[in-house]
Amino acid sequence: MSSRRSRGGVSEEEINELISRLQTLLPSARRRGGSQASTTKLLKETCSYIKSLHREVDDLSDRLSDLMATMDHNSPGAEIIRSLLR
Amino acid sequence: MISLGGGDGGGGSSSSSSSSASRKSSSRAKATQTKWRTGTQQKIYGRRLLDALRATGGAPQPRAVKAAADSALALTARGQTRWSRAILLSTCRRRVLVKAGGKIRRRHHRRPAKAAALEPAALKERKVKERLRVLGRLVPGCRKLPAPALLEETADYVAALEMQVKTMRALADALAAAQLSSASPPETERS
């Protein structure tokens, strides 16, 4: 935490620090106790996690567009009700 | 409007570090992790999402839904991060970019494969750089970012995406439940 020398490039310990911080966000952090993952593995896992999140958003977008298409005819007030409930 | 009382208040309480730079970055990391996970943020995003969906006009394409969800997410981020600003900008210029510049300029140029394996340390560093490059392509607006900034943006982006998924799923479930309960006679025959 103390050394933040700007060596003209990026020092490896800075990167390691940031990566370990990123690790706590990844779902694999909840499974593992130790912090033994190498940098490349963590980065790769982060990339695939982001990709899977993107895919989930796409699936949910499909689902929502279907729901909205059918909802519009049945119960136009449903969305309003939902927004009130939130 | 709801004021952000939940996540914003408990940001910079780390008094152990001496230099201000590291204190700022560590408090920002803590703020990142808690910010997107508060119920307040989810409510705010939920409202923005509903507004954006309502603005699509009733029967949006899945692409339009995703665009609405992303721009609502970027708005909720309040423009504090690079990825959120990139999303907001791309929403304005979407048509121009897709047609003219985006696909033509960026060719999928692959670097030549690693020639001779140098020392293991250098090879590993090259792999790390490659991974960072891939990551930069995944996070919007972060292609040319240096590593530390990219990792910070990534952390925020991941947390925001998780919240986006959670909220969209809750909305889809709620809409589905509302449909099932509010009169679809051919569906609900059993009672």
Side-chain angles (χ1 to χ4, degrees), chain A residues 1 10 15 18 21-22 24-25 40 43-44 46-47 49-50 53-54 56-58 60-65 67-68 70-71 75 79 82-83 86, chain B residues 22 25 29 33 37 47 50 58 60 62 66 128 131 138 147-148 151 154-155 157-158 161-162 164-165 168-173 175 179 182:
Chain A
M1 295 283 182
V10 187
I15 297 213
L18 284 167
R21 213 177 287 151
L22 190 62
T24 63
L25 275 180
T40 44
L43 285 178
K44 186 171 169 182
T46 306
C47 290
Y49 188 47
I50 293 186
L53 285 174
H54 280 168
E56 280 198 64
V57 170
D58 284 338
L60 285 167
S61 301
D62 281 340
R63 208 177 142 201
L64 276 175
S65 91
L67 283 169
M68 285 179 73
T70 57
M71 171 199 86
S75 47
E79 211 186 350
R82 289 302 140 193
S83 68
R86 292 238 176 146
Chain B
S22 57
S25 63
Q33 293 183 14
R37 293 196 179 156
R47 268 191 210 167
L50 281 171
K66 180 170 194 284
V128 168
R131 296 276 169 219
L138 284 175
L151 291 172
T154 303
Y157 188 53
V158 165
L161 279 181
E162 285 180 346
Q164 181 180 36
V165 165
M168 285 175 79
R169 190 175 294 146
L171 177 61
D173 289 344
L175 279 181
Q179 281 193 28
S182 77

Short mmCIF file of all heavy atoms in Angstrom, two decimals, chain A residues 1 10 15 18 21-22 24-25 40 43-44 46-47 49-50 53-54 56-58 60-65 67-68 70-71 75 79 82-83 86, chain B residues 22 25 29 33 37 47 50 58 60 62 66 128 131 138 147-148 151 154-155 157-158 161-162 164-165 168-173 175 179 182:
data_model
loop_
_atom_site.label_atom_id
_atom_site.label_comp_id
_atom_site.label_asym_id
_atom_site.label_seq_id
_atom_site.Cartn_x
_atom_site.Cartn_y
_atom_site.Cartn_z
N MET A 1 0.83 -1.20 0.00
CA MET A 1 0.00 0.00 0.00
C MET A 1 0.85 1.24 0.00
O MET A 1 0.36 2.31 -0.28
CB MET A 1 -0.86 0.10 1.25
CG MET A 1 -1.90 -0.93 1.43
SD MET A 1 -3.34 -0.72 0.45
CE MET A 1 -4.25 -2.09 1.05
N VAL A 10 4.02 0.34 -15.31
CA VAL A 10 3.18 -0.06 -14.19
C VAL A 10 3.91 -1.13 -13.42
O VAL A 10 4.33 -2.11 -13.98
CB VAL A 10 1.83 -0.60 -14.67
CG1 VAL A 10 0.93 -0.83 -13.52
CG2 VAL A 10 1.23 0.37 -15.65
N ILE A 15 -0.35 -3.94 -9.95
CA ILE A 15 -1.29 -4.79 -10.68
C ILE A 15 -1.77 -5.91 -9.78
O ILE A 15 -2.96 -6.24 -9.74
CB ILE A 15 -0.60 -5.35 -11.94
CG1 ILE A 15 -0.24 -4.21 -12.85
CG2 ILE A 15 -1.50 -6.34 -12.60
CD1 ILE A 15 -0.30 -4.53 -14.28
N LEU A 18 -4.40 -4.63 -7.44
CA LEU A 18 -5.70 -4.41 -8.07
C LEU A 18 -6.36 -5.74 -8.41
O LEU A 18 -7.57 -5.88 -8.29
CB LEU A 18 -5.53 -3.58 -9.33
CG LEU A 18 -5.30 -2.11 -9.05
CD1 LEU A 18 -4.83 -1.41 -10.30
CD2 LEU A 18 -6.55 -1.48 -8.55
N ARG A 21 -7.93 -7.25 -5.54
CA ARG A 21 -9.18 -6.58 -5.21
C ARG A 21 -10.29 -7.06 -6.15
O ARG A 21 -11.43 -7.25 -5.75
CB ARG A 21 -9.00 -5.08 -5.37
CG ARG A 21 -9.83 -4.31 -4.41
CD ARG A 21 -9.55 -2.86 -4.57
NE ARG A 21 -8.25 -2.47 -4.05
CZ ARG A 21 -7.55 -1.45 -4.54
NH1 ARG A 21 -7.99 -0.76 -5.53
NH2 ARG A 21 -6.39 -1.15 -4.01
N LEU A 22 -9.93 -7.26 -7.39
CA LEU A 22 -10.92 -7.75 -8.35
C LEU A 22 -11.37 -9.15 -7.99
O LEU A 22 -12.51 -9.52 -8.21
CB LEU A 22 -10.26 -7.74 -9.73
CG LEU A 22 -11.14 -7.97 -10.93
CD1 LEU A 22 -12.16 -6.89 -11.04
CD2 LEU A 22 -10.28 -7.98 -12.16
N THR A 24 -11.97 -10.44 -5.24
CA THR A 24 -13.02 -10.53 -4.24
C THR A 24 -14.40 -10.34 -4.86
O THR A 24 -15.40 -10.73 -4.28
CB THR A 24 -12.84 -9.47 -3.14
OG1 THR A 24 -12.94 -8.18 -3.75
CG2 THR A 24 -11.49 -9.61 -2.50
N LEU A 25 -14.43 -9.77 -6.05
CA LEU A 25 -15.72 -9.57 -6.68
C LEU A 25 -16.19 -10.79 -7.44
O LEU A 25 -17.37 -10.98 -7.66
CB LEU A 25 -15.65 -8.41 -7.67
CG LEU A 25 -15.83 -7.03 -7.11
CD1 LEU A 25 -15.74 -6.02 -8.23
CD2 LEU A 25 -17.18 -6.89 -6.45
N THR A 40 -2.93 -14.55 -14.59
CA THR A 40 -3.56 -14.85 -15.86
C THR A 40 -4.87 -15.59 -15.64
O THR A 40 -5.87 -15.34 -16.32
CB THR A 40 -2.64 -15.72 -16.72
OG1 THR A 40 -2.07 -16.72 -15.91
CG2 THR A 40 -1.56 -14.88 -17.34
N LEU A 43 -7.52 -13.12 -14.61
CA LEU A 43 -7.96 -12.27 -15.71
C LEU A 43 -8.84 -13.06 -16.66
O LEU A 43 -9.85 -12.56 -17.14
CB LEU A 43 -6.75 -11.71 -16.45
CG LEU A 43 -6.03 -10.59 -15.72
CD1 LEU A 43 -4.83 -10.14 -16.52
CD2 LEU A 43 -6.95 -9.41 -15.53
N LYS A 44 -8.45 -14.30 -16.88
CA LYS A 44 -9.26 -15.11 -17.79
C LYS A 44 -10.63 -15.35 -17.19
O LYS A 44 -11.66 -15.29 -17.88
CB LYS A 44 -8.54 -16.43 -18.01
CG LYS A 44 -9.19 -17.30 -19.03
CD LYS A 44 -8.28 -18.47 -19.34
CE LYS A 44 -9.04 -19.49 -20.17
NZ LYS A 44 -8.19 -20.65 -20.44
N THR A 46 -12.15 -13.43 -15.11
CA THR A 46 -12.90 -12.18 -15.18
C THR A 46 -13.51 -12.00 -16.56
O THR A 46 -14.68 -11.64 -16.69
CB THR A 46 -11.99 -11.00 -14.87
OG1 THR A 46 -11.35 -11.22 -13.63
CG2 THR A 46 -12.76 -9.72 -14.82
N CYS A 47 -12.73 -12.29 -17.59
CA CYS A 47 -13.25 -12.14 -18.95
C CYS A 47 -14.44 -13.06 -19.16
O CYS A 47 -15.48 -12.63 -19.69
CB CYS A 47 -12.17 -12.47 -19.97
SG CYS A 47 -10.87 -11.25 -20.04
N TYR A 49 -16.37 -14.33 -16.95
CA TYR A 49 -17.50 -13.92 -16.12
C TYR A 49 -18.25 -12.78 -16.76
O TYR A 49 -19.49 -12.77 -16.80
CB TYR A 49 -17.00 -13.53 -14.73
CG TYR A 49 -18.09 -13.26 -13.74
CD1 TYR A 49 -19.15 -14.13 -13.59
CD2 TYR A 49 -18.07 -12.13 -12.94
CE1 TYR A 49 -20.16 -13.89 -12.67
CE2 TYR A 49 -19.06 -11.87 -12.03
CZ TYR A 49 -20.11 -12.76 -11.89
OH TYR A 49 -21.10 -12.51 -11.00
N ILE A 50 -17.52 -11.81 -17.28
CA ILE A 50 -18.18 -10.68 -17.94
C ILE A 50 -18.97 -11.17 -19.15
O ILE A 50 -20.10 -10.74 -19.40
CB ILE A 50 -17.17 -9.61 -18.35
CG1 ILE A 50 -16.56 -8.98 -17.11
CG2 ILE A 50 -17.81 -8.54 -19.19
CD1 ILE A 50 -15.65 -7.81 -17.41
N LEU A 53 -22.12 -12.76 -18.00
CA LEU A 53 -23.08 -11.74 -17.57
C LEU A 53 -23.73 -11.07 -18.78
O LEU A 53 -24.92 -10.80 -18.79
CB LEU A 53 -22.39 -10.70 -16.69
CG LEU A 53 -22.06 -11.12 -15.27
CD1 LEU A 53 -21.24 -10.06 -14.59
CD2 LEU A 53 -23.31 -11.39 -14.47
N HIS A 54 -22.94 -10.82 -19.80
CA HIS A 54 -23.51 -10.24 -21.02
C HIS A 54 -24.56 -11.16 -21.61
O HIS A 54 -25.62 -10.72 -22.07
CB HIS A 54 -22.40 -10.00 -22.05
CG HIS A 54 -21.61 -8.76 -21.80
ND1 HIS A 54 -20.44 -8.48 -22.45
CD2 HIS A 54 -21.83 -7.71 -21.00
CE1 HIS A 54 -19.97 -7.33 -22.05
NE2 HIS A 54 -20.80 -6.83 -21.16
N GLU A 56 -26.33 -13.34 -20.04
CA GLU A 56 -27.53 -13.32 -19.21
C GLU A 56 -28.37 -12.10 -19.51
O GLU A 56 -29.61 -12.19 -19.58
CB GLU A 56 -27.14 -13.30 -17.73
CG GLU A 56 -26.76 -14.65 -17.20
CD GLU A 56 -26.80 -14.67 -15.70
OE1 GLU A 56 -27.90 -14.49 -15.15
OE2 GLU A 56 -25.74 -14.83 -15.09
N VAL A 57 -27.71 -10.96 -19.69
CA VAL A 57 -28.47 -9.75 -20.02
C VAL A 57 -29.19 -9.93 -21.35
O VAL A 57 -30.34 -9.53 -21.50
CB VAL A 57 -27.53 -8.53 -20.05
CG1 VAL A 57 -28.24 -7.33 -20.61
CG2 VAL A 57 -27.03 -8.23 -18.67
N ASP A 58 -28.53 -10.55 -22.31
CA ASP A 58 -29.19 -10.77 -23.60
C ASP A 58 -30.40 -11.68 -23.44
O ASP A 58 -31.46 -11.41 -24.02
CB ASP A 58 -28.20 -11.41 -24.58
CG ASP A 58 -27.20 -10.40 -25.11
OD1 ASP A 58 -27.51 -9.20 -25.06
OD2 ASP A 58 -26.12 -10.82 -25.56
N LEU A 60 -32.18 -12.18 -20.78
CA LEU A 60 -33.23 -11.45 -20.07
C LEU A 60 -33.88 -10.41 -20.97
O LEU A 60 -35.08 -10.16 -20.85
CB LEU A 60 -32.66 -10.80 -18.82
CG LEU A 60 -32.37 -11.78 -17.69
CD1 LEU A 60 -31.53 -11.14 -16.62
CD2 LEU A 60 -33.67 -12.26 -17.09
N SER A 61 -33.11 -9.83 -21.86
CA SER A 61 -33.71 -8.87 -22.80
C SER A 61 -34.71 -9.57 -23.70
O SER A 61 -35.79 -9.04 -23.96
CB SER A 61 -32.64 -8.22 -23.65
OG SER A 61 -31.71 -7.55 -22.87
N ASP A 62 -34.34 -10.76 -24.17
CA ASP A 62 -35.29 -11.52 -24.98
C ASP A 62 -36.57 -11.78 -24.21
O ASP A 62 -37.69 -11.57 -24.70
CB ASP A 62 -34.68 -12.86 -25.37
CG ASP A 62 -33.71 -12.72 -26.52
OD1 ASP A 62 -33.81 -11.72 -27.24
OD2 ASP A 62 -32.87 -13.61 -26.69
N ARG A 63 -36.36 -12.24 -22.98
CA ARG A 63 -37.51 -12.59 -22.16
C ARG A 63 -38.39 -11.37 -21.91
O ARG A 63 -39.62 -11.43 -22.02
CB ARG A 63 -36.98 -13.14 -20.85
CG ARG A 63 -37.91 -14.11 -20.21
CD ARG A 63 -37.27 -14.66 -18.95
NE ARG A 63 -38.29 -14.81 -17.94
CZ ARG A 63 -38.05 -14.88 -16.65
NH1 ARG A 63 -36.81 -14.78 -16.22
NH2 ARG A 63 -39.04 -15.02 -15.81
N LEU A 64 -37.76 -10.26 -21.60
CA LEU A 64 -38.54 -9.05 -21.31
C LEU A 64 -39.27 -8.57 -22.55
O LEU A 64 -40.40 -8.10 -22.46
CB LEU A 64 -37.61 -7.95 -20.78
CG LEU A 64 -37.33 -8.02 -19.30
CD1 LEU A 64 -36.31 -6.97 -18.90
CD2 LEU A 64 -38.60 -7.82 -18.50
N SER A 65 -38.64 -8.68 -23.69
CA SER A 65 -39.34 -8.18 -24.88
C SER A 65 -40.54 -9.07 -25.20
O SER A 65 -41.60 -8.57 -25.62
CB SER A 65 -38.39 -8.08 -26.06
OG SER A 65 -38.37 -9.25 -26.80
N LEU A 67 -42.28 -10.72 -22.92
CA LEU A 67 -43.27 -10.41 -21.90
C LEU A 67 -43.97 -9.09 -22.20
O LEU A 67 -45.18 -8.96 -22.04
CB LEU A 67 -42.60 -10.33 -20.52
CG LEU A 67 -42.28 -11.69 -19.90
CD1 LEU A 67 -41.38 -11.51 -18.70
CD2 LEU A 67 -43.56 -12.38 -19.50
N MET A 68 -43.21 -8.12 -22.65
CA MET A 68 -43.82 -6.83 -22.90
C MET A 68 -44.75 -6.90 -24.10
O MET A 68 -45.76 -6.22 -24.15
CB MET A 68 -42.75 -5.77 -23.13
CG MET A 68 -42.08 -5.35 -21.84
SD MET A 68 -40.81 -4.15 -22.11
CE MET A 68 -41.80 -2.73 -22.47
N THR A 70 -46.63 -9.45 -25.03
CA THR A 70 -47.92 -10.03 -24.69
C THR A 70 -48.63 -9.23 -23.62
O THR A 70 -49.84 -9.21 -23.57
CB THR A 70 -47.73 -11.47 -24.18
OG1 THR A 70 -46.85 -11.43 -23.07
CG2 THR A 70 -47.14 -12.32 -25.28
N MET A 71 -47.87 -8.59 -22.78
CA MET A 71 -48.48 -7.86 -21.67
C MET A 71 -49.33 -6.70 -22.19
O MET A 71 -50.35 -6.37 -21.63
CB MET A 71 -47.39 -7.32 -20.75
CG MET A 71 -47.92 -6.38 -19.73
SD MET A 71 -46.60 -5.39 -19.05
CE MET A 71 -46.57 -4.09 -20.21
N SER A 75 -52.88 -6.82 -19.92
CA SER A 75 -53.07 -5.95 -18.77
C SER A 75 -52.17 -4.74 -18.90
O SER A 75 -51.03 -4.77 -18.48
CB SER A 75 -52.74 -6.70 -17.49
OG SER A 75 -51.52 -7.38 -17.68
N GLU A 79 -47.53 -2.95 -15.70
CA GLU A 79 -46.25 -2.32 -15.50
C GLU A 79 -46.36 -1.16 -14.52
O GLU A 79 -45.47 -0.92 -13.72
CB GLU A 79 -45.70 -1.81 -16.84
CG GLU A 79 -44.20 -1.84 -16.87
CD GLU A 79 -43.66 -1.20 -18.12
OE1 GLU A 79 -44.44 -0.92 -19.02
OE2 GLU A 79 -42.45 -0.99 -18.17
N ARG A 82 -46.44 -2.59 -11.12
CA ARG A 82 -45.12 -2.99 -10.68
C ARG A 82 -44.30 -1.80 -10.25
O ARG A 82 -43.57 -1.84 -9.27
CB ARG A 82 -44.39 -3.71 -11.82
CG ARG A 82 -44.93 -5.06 -12.12
CD ARG A 82 -44.87 -5.95 -10.93
NE ARG A 82 -46.08 -6.76 -10.84
CZ ARG A 82 -46.41 -7.46 -9.78
NH1 ARG A 82 -45.65 -7.44 -8.72
NH2 ARG A 82 -47.51 -8.17 -9.78
N SER A 83 -44.40 -0.75 -11.00
CA SER A 83 -43.55 0.40 -10.66
C SER A 83 -44.00 1.02 -9.35
O SER A 83 -43.19 1.56 -8.61
CB SER A 83 -43.59 1.44 -11.77
OG SER A 83 -44.86 2.04 -11.83
N ARG A 86 -42.56 -1.15 -6.52
CA ARG A 86 -41.14 -1.04 -6.21
C ARG A 86 -40.87 0.21 -5.40
O ARG A 86 -39.78 0.62 -5.24
CB ARG A 86 -40.35 -0.98 -7.52
CG ARG A 86 -40.45 -2.27 -8.19
CD ARG A 86 -39.11 -2.81 -8.40
NE ARG A 86 -39.22 -4.12 -8.99
CZ ARG A 86 -38.38 -4.62 -9.84
NH1 ARG A 86 -37.39 -3.89 -10.21
NH2 ARG A 86 -38.52 -5.80 -10.33
N SER B 22 -3.21 5.99 -2.17
CA SER B 22 -3.67 4.64 -1.89
C SER B 22 -4.94 4.67 -1.06
O SER B 22 -5.79 3.81 -1.15
CB SER B 22 -2.58 3.85 -1.16
OG SER B 22 -2.24 4.54 0.03
N SER B 25 -7.70 5.04 -3.45
CA SER B 25 -8.03 3.88 -4.26
C SER B 25 -8.66 2.79 -3.42
O SER B 25 -9.54 2.10 -3.85
CB SER B 25 -6.79 3.36 -4.97
OG SER B 25 -5.86 2.94 -4.00
N ALA B 29 -12.41 1.31 -3.79
CA ALA B 29 -12.73 -0.10 -4.02
C ALA B 29 -13.85 -0.53 -3.09
O ALA B 29 -14.77 -1.23 -3.49
CB ALA B 29 -11.48 -0.95 -3.79
N GLN B 33 -17.63 -1.92 -4.11
CA GLN B 33 -18.27 -3.18 -3.79
C GLN B 33 -19.59 -2.98 -3.10
O GLN B 33 -20.50 -3.75 -3.29
CB GLN B 33 -17.33 -3.99 -2.89
CG GLN B 33 -16.11 -4.40 -3.65
CD GLN B 33 -15.21 -5.26 -2.81
OE1 GLN B 33 -15.62 -5.73 -1.78
NE2 GLN B 33 -14.00 -5.44 -3.26
N ARG B 37 -24.40 -2.92 -4.58
CA ARG B 37 -25.14 -3.97 -3.91
C ARG B 37 -26.20 -3.45 -2.97
O ARG B 37 -26.93 -4.22 -2.39
CB ARG B 37 -24.17 -4.86 -3.15
CG ARG B 37 -23.31 -5.59 -4.11
CD ARG B 37 -22.61 -6.75 -3.50
NE ARG B 37 -21.82 -7.40 -4.52
CZ ARG B 37 -20.76 -8.13 -4.29
NH1 ARG B 37 -20.36 -8.31 -3.07
NH2 ARG B 37 -20.09 -8.70 -5.27
N ARG B 47 -36.27 1.75 -11.39
CA ARG B 47 -37.11 2.83 -11.89
C ARG B 47 -36.66 3.35 -13.23
O ARG B 47 -37.46 3.58 -14.12
CB ARG B 47 -37.13 3.96 -10.90
CG ARG B 47 -38.25 3.75 -10.01
CD ARG B 47 -38.62 4.83 -9.14
NE ARG B 47 -39.18 4.14 -8.00
CZ ARG B 47 -39.41 4.70 -6.87
NH1 ARG B 47 -39.11 5.95 -6.72
NH2 ARG B 47 -39.92 4.01 -5.91
N LEU B 50 -37.55 0.86 -15.86
CA LEU B 50 -38.96 0.92 -16.24
C LEU B 50 -39.24 2.13 -17.11
O LEU B 50 -39.97 2.03 -18.10
CB LEU B 50 -39.83 0.97 -14.99
CG LEU B 50 -40.04 -0.38 -14.30
CD1 LEU B 50 -40.72 -0.18 -12.98
CD2 LEU B 50 -40.86 -1.28 -15.17
N GLY B 58 -43.83 0.07 -26.05
CA GLY B 58 -44.81 -1.00 -25.89
C GLY B 58 -44.39 -2.36 -26.43
O GLY B 58 -44.69 -3.37 -25.82
N PRO B 60 -40.95 -3.54 -27.75
CA PRO B 60 -39.58 -3.37 -28.24
C PRO B 60 -38.94 -4.68 -28.68
O PRO B 60 -39.28 -5.75 -28.19
CB PRO B 60 -38.87 -2.80 -27.01
CG PRO B 60 -39.64 -3.32 -25.86
CD PRO B 60 -41.04 -3.48 -26.31
N PRO B 62 -35.73 -7.22 -28.72
CA PRO B 62 -34.78 -7.54 -27.65
C PRO B 62 -33.57 -6.61 -27.64
O PRO B 62 -33.06 -6.25 -26.59
CB PRO B 62 -34.36 -8.98 -27.97
CG PRO B 62 -35.48 -9.53 -28.74
CD PRO B 62 -36.12 -8.41 -29.49
N LYS B 66 -32.26 -4.36 -24.49
CA LYS B 66 -30.90 -4.36 -23.96
C LYS B 66 -30.33 -2.95 -23.96
O LYS B 66 -29.67 -2.54 -23.01
CB LYS B 66 -30.04 -5.28 -24.81
CG LYS B 66 -28.61 -5.35 -24.32
CD LYS B 66 -27.86 -6.46 -25.02
CE LYS B 66 -26.57 -6.74 -24.31
NZ LYS B 66 -25.54 -5.76 -24.53
N VAL B 128 -0.20 -11.95 -19.58
CA VAL B 128 -1.01 -11.03 -18.77
C VAL B 128 -1.46 -9.87 -19.63
O VAL B 128 -2.62 -9.45 -19.60
CB VAL B 128 -0.22 -10.56 -17.54
CG1 VAL B 128 -0.92 -9.40 -16.87
CG2 VAL B 128 -0.03 -11.69 -16.56
N ARG B 131 -4.28 -10.88 -21.83
CA ARG B 131 -5.55 -10.98 -21.11
C ARG B 131 -6.11 -9.61 -20.83
O ARG B 131 -7.32 -9.39 -20.89
CB ARG B 131 -5.35 -11.71 -19.79
CG ARG B 131 -4.93 -13.11 -19.95
CD ARG B 131 -6.13 -13.98 -20.15
NE ARG B 131 -5.72 -15.30 -20.57
CZ ARG B 131 -6.37 -15.99 -21.48
NH1 ARG B 131 -7.42 -15.51 -22.05
NH2 ARG B 131 -5.96 -17.19 -21.80
N LEU B 138 -13.84 -5.99 -23.58
CA LEU B 138 -15.14 -6.36 -23.02
C LEU B 138 -15.80 -5.21 -22.28
O LEU B 138 -17.03 -5.07 -22.31
CB LEU B 138 -14.96 -7.54 -22.05
CG LEU B 138 -14.76 -8.88 -22.71
CD1 LEU B 138 -14.47 -9.92 -21.66
CD2 LEU B 138 -15.98 -9.26 -23.50
N ALA B 147 -3.31 -0.48 -17.35
CA ALA B 147 -3.79 -1.58 -16.53
C ALA B 147 -4.49 -1.17 -15.23
O ALA B 147 -5.57 -1.69 -14.94
CB ALA B 147 -2.65 -2.55 -16.24
N PRO B 148 -3.93 -0.30 -14.41
CA PRO B 148 -4.60 -0.03 -13.15
C PRO B 148 -6.00 0.56 -13.35
O PRO B 148 -6.97 0.13 -12.70
CB PRO B 148 -3.69 0.98 -12.45
CG PRO B 148 -2.43 0.98 -13.17
CD PRO B 148 -2.69 0.48 -14.54
N LEU B 151 -8.45 -2.08 -14.52
CA LEU B 151 -8.90 -3.00 -13.49
C LEU B 151 -9.92 -2.35 -12.57
O LEU B 151 -10.87 -3.00 -12.13
CB LEU B 151 -7.70 -3.51 -12.69
CG LEU B 151 -6.81 -4.43 -13.53
CD1 LEU B 151 -5.55 -4.76 -12.79
CD2 LEU B 151 -7.55 -5.70 -13.87
N THR B 154 -13.10 -2.31 -14.46
CA THR B 154 -13.65 -3.66 -14.52
C THR B 154 -14.38 -4.02 -13.25
O THR B 154 -15.47 -4.59 -13.29
CB THR B 154 -12.51 -4.67 -14.75
OG1 THR B 154 -11.81 -4.31 -15.92
CG2 THR B 154 -13.05 -6.06 -14.88
N ALA B 155 -13.78 -3.67 -12.13
CA ALA B 155 -14.41 -4.01 -10.86
C ALA B 155 -15.78 -3.34 -10.77
O ALA B 155 -16.77 -3.98 -10.41
CB ALA B 155 -13.52 -3.56 -9.70
N TYR B 157 -17.61 -2.28 -13.25
CA TYR B 157 -18.49 -2.79 -14.30
C TYR B 157 -19.07 -4.14 -13.93
O TYR B 157 -20.25 -4.40 -14.16
CB TYR B 157 -17.67 -2.90 -15.59
CG TYR B 157 -18.47 -3.24 -16.81
CD1 TYR B 157 -19.58 -2.50 -17.17
CD2 TYR B 157 -18.10 -4.30 -17.62
CE1 TYR B 157 -20.31 -2.81 -18.30
CE2 TYR B 157 -18.82 -4.61 -18.74
CZ TYR B 157 -19.92 -3.87 -19.08
OH TYR B 157 -20.63 -4.17 -20.20
N VAL B 158 -18.25 -5.00 -13.34
CA VAL B 158 -18.74 -6.31 -12.95
C VAL B 158 -19.83 -6.17 -11.90
O VAL B 158 -20.89 -6.81 -11.98
CB VAL B 158 -17.58 -7.18 -12.42
CG1 VAL B 158 -18.09 -8.38 -11.67
CG2 VAL B 158 -16.71 -7.63 -13.56
N LEU B 161 -22.96 -4.92 -13.58
CA LEU B 161 -23.62 -5.95 -14.39
C LEU B 161 -24.38 -6.93 -13.52
O LEU B 161 -25.49 -7.35 -13.86
CB LEU B 161 -22.58 -6.71 -15.21
CG LEU B 161 -22.10 -6.08 -16.49
CD1 LEU B 161 -21.12 -7.00 -17.16
CD2 LEU B 161 -23.25 -5.81 -17.42
N GLU B 162 -23.79 -7.29 -12.38
CA GLU B 162 -24.49 -8.21 -11.50
C GLU B 162 -25.81 -7.63 -11.05
O GLU B 162 -26.85 -8.30 -11.01
CB GLU B 162 -23.62 -8.53 -10.29
CG GLU B 162 -22.48 -9.46 -10.60
CD GLU B 162 -21.64 -9.75 -9.38
OE1 GLU B 162 -21.78 -9.03 -8.38
OE2 GLU B 162 -20.85 -10.69 -9.43
N GLN B 164 -27.50 -5.38 -12.63
CA GLN B 164 -28.38 -5.29 -13.78
C GLN B 164 -29.10 -6.63 -14.00
O GLN B 164 -30.31 -6.66 -14.19
CB GLN B 164 -27.58 -4.92 -15.02
CG GLN B 164 -28.42 -4.78 -16.25
CD GLN B 164 -27.59 -4.42 -17.46
OE1 GLN B 164 -26.47 -4.88 -17.61
NE2 GLN B 164 -28.15 -3.62 -18.33
N VAL B 165 -28.34 -7.70 -13.93
CA VAL B 165 -28.94 -9.02 -14.14
C VAL B 165 -29.99 -9.30 -13.08
O VAL B 165 -31.10 -9.76 -13.37
CB VAL B 165 -27.84 -10.10 -14.12
CG1 VAL B 165 -28.43 -11.46 -13.95
CG2 VAL B 165 -27.04 -10.04 -15.39
N MET B 168 -33.12 -7.11 -13.72
CA MET B 168 -33.89 -7.51 -14.90
C MET B 168 -34.60 -8.82 -14.65
O MET B 168 -35.75 -9.02 -15.08
CB MET B 168 -32.96 -7.65 -16.11
CG MET B 168 -32.52 -6.31 -16.67
SD MET B 168 -31.33 -6.48 -18.00
CE MET B 168 -32.39 -6.90 -19.34
N ARG B 169 -33.92 -9.71 -13.94
CA ARG B 169 -34.56 -10.99 -13.66
C ARG B 169 -35.77 -10.79 -12.77
O ARG B 169 -36.83 -11.39 -12.97
CB ARG B 169 -33.57 -11.93 -13.01
CG ARG B 169 -34.10 -13.35 -12.93
CD ARG B 169 -33.06 -14.27 -12.40
NE ARG B 169 -31.94 -14.41 -13.29
CZ ARG B 169 -30.70 -14.58 -12.89
NH1 ARG B 169 -30.42 -14.62 -11.61
NH2 ARG B 169 -29.73 -14.71 -13.76
N ALA B 170 -35.63 -9.93 -11.76
CA ALA B 170 -36.76 -9.67 -10.87
C ALA B 170 -37.92 -9.06 -11.64
O ALA B 170 -39.09 -9.43 -11.43
CB ALA B 170 -36.32 -8.74 -9.73
N LEU B 171 -37.60 -8.16 -12.56
CA LEU B 171 -38.66 -7.54 -13.35
C LEU B 171 -39.34 -8.56 -14.24
O LEU B 171 -40.58 -8.59 -14.33
CB LEU B 171 -38.08 -6.41 -14.19
CG LEU B 171 -39.06 -5.71 -15.12
CD1 LEU B 171 -40.16 -5.08 -14.33
CD2 LEU B 171 -38.35 -4.66 -15.95
N ALA B 172 -38.55 -9.41 -14.87
CA ALA B 172 -39.15 -10.42 -15.76
C ALA B 172 -40.03 -11.37 -14.96
O ALA B 172 -41.12 -11.73 -15.40
CB ALA B 172 -38.05 -11.18 -16.48
N ASP B 173 -39.54 -11.77 -13.78
CA ASP B 173 -40.36 -12.66 -12.96
C ASP B 173 -41.65 -11.97 -12.54
O ASP B 173 -42.72 -12.59 -12.54
CB ASP B 173 -39.57 -13.08 -11.71
CG ASP B 173 -38.44 -14.03 -12.07
OD1 ASP B 173 -38.47 -14.58 -13.18
OD2 ASP B 173 -37.55 -14.20 -11.24
N LEU B 175 -43.25 -9.54 -14.06
CA LEU B 175 -44.16 -9.41 -15.19
C LEU B 175 -44.81 -10.74 -15.53
O LEU B 175 -45.99 -10.81 -15.84
CB LEU B 175 -43.40 -8.89 -16.41
CG LEU B 175 -43.17 -7.39 -16.46
CD1 LEU B 175 -42.44 -7.01 -17.72
CD2 LEU B 175 -44.49 -6.65 -16.39
N GLN B 179 -48.78 -11.55 -15.40
CA GLN B 179 -49.54 -12.08 -16.54
C GLN B 179 -50.31 -13.32 -16.17
O GLN B 179 -51.44 -13.51 -16.59
CB GLN B 179 -48.59 -12.40 -17.67
CG GLN B 179 -48.18 -11.19 -18.42
CD GLN B 179 -47.52 -11.56 -19.70
OE1 GLN B 179 -47.81 -12.61 -20.25
NE2 GLN B 179 -46.65 -10.73 -20.16
N SER B 182 -53.29 -12.25 -13.93
CA SER B 182 -54.34 -11.35 -14.40
C SER B 182 -54.95 -11.84 -15.70
O SER B 182 -54.75 -11.26 -16.75
CB SER B 182 -53.77 -9.96 -14.62
OG SER B 182 -53.03 -9.93 -15.83
#
